[in-house]
């Protein structure tokens, strides 16, 4: 069996790639958003390593929706509709993310992260997509304050997704 090098890309399936690129190219009109300024974020796409061979892409929309697409084709969705705390954390993330645009660069290249700890954060605005890379292992509290801010925002969304999953599991067991 071949050993994976840290520079290797994640293995991904076609449905994952198609879902990810749709999210990265989604115009604000699709979700019914009218943007009032150039720094307003209406959607975020965050690529998060979840293990040596696992990559998840968190998609958050300003309407409170959250979806996680997994590189193996799995999808975690429809939780925001039943869990107001999750929808609220998504709205807070999207409403607050514009503050961190100065820590991002405008991009039209949507490559996948390398197999390692780096997270790719894409923020959609009417002026285009802004990207930053966050490596939670080596953030400096003095120089990476906006990246730490973003990380905390989407970690809260991930925590709420996990809480919603646990509630859903308990509901299934109770039936």
């Amino acid at each position: 069996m071949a050993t994976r090098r840290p520079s290797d890309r994640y293995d991904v399936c076609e449905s994952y790639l198609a879902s990810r690129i749709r999210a990265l190219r989604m115009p604000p009109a699709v979700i019914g958003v009218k943007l009032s300024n150039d720094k307003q974020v209406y959607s975020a796409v965050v690529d998060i390593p979840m293990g040596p061979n696992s990559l998840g892409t968190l998609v958050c929309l300003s309407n409170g929706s959250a979806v996680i697409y997994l590189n193996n084709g799995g999808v975690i969705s429809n939780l925001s509709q039943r869990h107001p705390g999750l929808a609220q954390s998504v709205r807070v993330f999207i409403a607050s993310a514009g503050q961190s645009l100065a820590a991002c660069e405008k991009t039209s290249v949507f490559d996948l992260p390398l197999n390692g700890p780096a997270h790719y954060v894409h923020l959609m605005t009417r002026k285009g997509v802004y990207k930053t890379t966050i490596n939670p292992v080596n953030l400096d509290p003095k120089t990476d304050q906006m990246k730490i801010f973003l990380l905390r925002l989407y970690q809260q969304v991930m925590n709420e997704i996990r809480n919603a999953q646990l509630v859903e599991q308990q509901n299934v067991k109770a039936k």
Side-chain angles (χ1 to χ4, degrees):
M1 182 170 160
T3 304
R4 292 187 71 92
R5 296 184 321 262
S7 63
D8 288 345
R9 299 249 178 226
Y10 291 92
D11 291 327
V12 297
C13 68
E14 191 172 325
S15 64
Y16 166 83
L17 287 175
S19 297
R20 182 178 179 273
I21 202 67
R22 260 193 322 272
L24 286 162
R25 292 186 175 157
M26 182 185 311
V30 170
I31 54 176
V33 176
K34 293 188 180 188
L35 303 173
S36 58
N37 66 64
D38 293 344
K39 293 187 177 187
Q40 186 177 356
V41 174
Y42 67 88
S43 177
V45 176
V46 185
D47 299 314
I48 305 170
M50 298 182 157
N53 298 310
S54 299
L55 178 65
T57 294
L58 172 66
V59 177
C60 294
L61 306 178
S62 59
N63 66 7
S65 297
V67 177
I68 299 176
Y69 297 104
L70 303 170
N71 63 316
N72 66 1
V75 178
I76 300 168
S77 63
N78 298 322
L79 293 171
S80 298
Q81 299 165 352
R82 295 183 302 279
H83 300 276
L86 171 56
Q88 181 61 26
S89 68
V90 171
R91 286 187 197 99
V92 168
F93 172 31
I94 297 300
S96 303
Q99 298 174 50
S100 65
L101 288 177
C104 303
E105 293 181 14
K106 193 170 179 186
T107 188
S108 59
V109 176
F110 306 124
D111 56 330
L112 290 168
L114 298 174
N115 193 347
H119 300 193
Y120 285 3
V121 180
H122 302 86
L123 304 174
M124 274 52 85
T125 72
R126 70 180 176 191
K127 287 289 190 179
V129 179
Y130 291 80
K131 176 185 172 186
T132 190
T133 301
I134 297 175
N135 185 338
V137 175
N138 64 8
L139 287 173
D140 182 344
K142 293 176 184 169
T143 60
D144 294 324
Q145 291 175 345
M146 292 309 336
K147 289 183 178 189
I148 292 169
F149 174 69
L150 269 177
L151 177 65
R152 288 183 178 152
L153 287 171
Y154 67 80
Q155 279 183 331
Q156 182 60 39
V157 172
M158 294 296 286
N159 288 339
E160 289 294 333
I161 289 172
R162 184 63 187 138
N163 290 340
Q165 287 178 311
L166 292 172
V167 168
E168 300 271 322
Q169 288 173 354
Q170 289 299 325
N171 291 342
V172 168
K173 287 181 184 177
K175 289 182 182 181

